[in-house]
Amino acid sequence: MSSAPRPLPDLAVEIVGLNKVYGGSGKRKPKQALKDFSLEIPRGSFFGLLGPNGAGKSTMINIMAGLVNKSSGTVRIWNHDIDAEVRNARCAIGVVPQELNLDPFFTAREALEVQAGLYGVPKPERHTQEILEAVGLADKADAYARTLSGGMRRRLLVAKALVHAPPVVVLDEPTAGVDVQLRQQLWEYIRKLNRCGTTVVLTTHYLEEAEELCDRIAIINHGQLVACDTTHALLRQLDNKSVTLILSQPLTEIPEALQRFSPTLPQPTELHINYRPSSRAMMEILDAARGCGLPIVDIRTEEVDLEDIFLQLTRAPAPAERAAS
Ligand SMILES: Nc1ncnc2c1ncn2[C@@H]1O[C@H](COP(=O)(O)OP(=O)(O)OP(=O)(O)O)[C@@H](O)[C@H]1O
Ligand SMILES: [Mg+2]
């Protein structure tokens, strides 16, 4: 008798009311790393988890991976509760931890084979060679992990997370210390996985990387979620752009017709205007500039980027630690 296949979940990860308090000892006070933290990661997304050092990103990821015990709250991976359905939840996720934790006495190939064995992947279904190539380690397949460079070890960790072809792949700063070319290669492969349906969750301190890769972004600060939206909507949140008009002749004073835009003259041949795209179109500024005969030879515009939003949202000081009750 064949059972009907389970429908695919809408959410790859669902976190509700998650709390984590690391216990103190001696002079070390207990630390609440996650506070009533809830997050939904839609199936198929390329999800960025951003936040300053110590925000709680790795804590959240390590709880998802079963490496850290939560204090309270629920976490479901691919619709499997991490407490009630440990095995299913673990099989649904592949985690690249931030800490390098490789067995130095295995070669790269052995490390992947052992990992595949742990997850019960039958030999004919393993794709060790393909993964080694994807992470740029094919020529190091038979080298011991201890002989690999830092960047190569990190790539081997990425490879290990992929052996059981999990529907959810979580990468905790996978490109820290990886050189530019291999970073591109790594992302190309992860993108391909994502296009084929794998949900990807990543943390990175390279905000440009997140902006380029992720379709959704959550920002976490002091253990709490401070923003979660599509990358596009987040970027739109800061209603601020600037335009610089480059002039062929120096300007001695700002024309009357442009005063309402509150321009500045950082240089005699550069007129700079900040504006809100929601209330003022750039054409309005350009028409006014042309109307007063400014000799414009070039235009430079600047958009807000993720870094502006990130800095704005994470500048808040740490809330006073609640007294241990
Ligand atoms: N094992 C631990 N014992 C005690 N405190 C811990 C432990 N692990 C993390 N913390 C604390 O919990 C907080 C969150 O740490 P976490 O590693 O989750 O941050 P993060 O967002 O991953 O930071 P980073 O960007 O530096 O990797 C920090 O204040 C950290 O000092
Ligand atoms: Mg971390």
Side-chain angles (χ1 to χ4, degrees), residues 10-247:
D10 290 334
L11 296 178
V13 177
E14 186 181 16
I15 297 176
V16 182
L18 186 61
N19 284 284
K20 172 64 192 177
V21 181
Y22 289 105
S25 65
K27 280 190 183 159
R28 205 161 44 112
K29 284 197 283 186
K31 169 78 196 172
Q32 181 150 20
L34 291 172
K35 292 168 202 161
D36 202 21
F37 184 90
S38 298
L39 183 68
E40 294 186 344
I41 301 180
R43 169 168 53 86
S45 52
F46 205 125
F47 197 98
L49 189 66
L50 309 181
N53 290 140
K57 305 177 298 293
S58 295
T59 300
M60 181 199 127
I61 287 173
N62 291 338
I63 290 172
M64 281 165 39
L67 300 171
V68 164
N69 290 325
K70 60 188 165 60
S71 303
S72 65
T74 58
V75 178
R76 299 180 73 80
I77 315 254
W78 213 246
N79 231 351
H80 301 297
D81 186 283
I82 59 164
D83 296 325
E85 301 168 84
V86 181
R87 209 185 136 70
N88 284 338
R90 293 264 173 94
C91 284
I93 195 170
V95 174
V96 182
Q98 186 171 14
E99 301 295 326
L100 293 168
N101 62 349
L102 288 166
D103 188 326
F105 300 106
F106 284 137
T107 65
R109 191 194 308 283
E110 283 165 355
L112 297 195
E113 288 290 327
V114 167
Q115 185 81 354
L118 285 176
Y119 279 94
V121 182
K123 282 223 155 97
E125 288 173 29
R126 294 184 189 171
H127 39 285
T128 307
Q129 189 61 26
E130 178 194 321
I131 298 176
L132 283 170
E133 277 165 24
V135 299
L137 285 179
D139 60 338
K140 294 281 179 186
D142 299 310
Y144 287 104
R146 68 185 136 84
T147 67
L148 300 178
S149 73
M152 290 174 191
R153 284 181 209 186
R154 193 159 293 284
R155 278 142 52 200
L156 183 53
L157 279 184
V158 175
K160 271 180 75 177
L162 301 175
V163 294
H164 58 297
V168 185
V169 171
V170 182
L171 308 122
D172 196 353
E173 296 195 41
T175 50
V178 174
D179 69 45
V180 180
Q181 201 186 343
L182 274 152
R183 197 184 297 171
Q184 295 294 346
Q185 185 184 337
L186 201 60
W187 285 132
E188 200 39 59
Y189 187 68
I190 303 284
R191 266 195 171 130
K192 198 169 105 191
L193 289 178
N194 180 248
R195 279 197 298 272
C196 294
T198 304
T199 304
V200 178
V201 182
L202 91 107
T203 77
T204 176
H205 286 287
Y206 301 109
L207 297 185
E208 273 178 23
E209 198 166 79
E211 191 172 328
E212 192 191 319
L213 292 163
C214 301
D215 51 40
R216 293 185 81 83
I217 286 179
I219 299 179
I220 160 173
N221 199 23
H222 304 305
Q224 290 175 310
L225 196 65
V226 291
C228 182
D229 215 327
T230 62
T231 310
H232 182 70
L234 266 184
L235 290 171
R236 229 179 21 208
Q237 225 180 62
L238 277 193
D239 190 18
N240 196 348
K241 279 191 178 183
S242 74
V243 58
T244 304
L245 306 178
I246 318 288
L247 311 171

Side-chain angles (χ1 to χ4, degrees), residues 211 235-236 238 240-243 275 277 300-306 308:
E211 191 172 328
L235 290 171
R236 229 179 21 208
L238 277 193
N240 196 348
K241 279 191 178 183
S242 74
V243 58
Y275 68 103
R300 206 167 59 221
T301 58
E302 269 173 40
E303 300 257 352
V304 290
D305 61 15
L306 201 52
D308 298 307

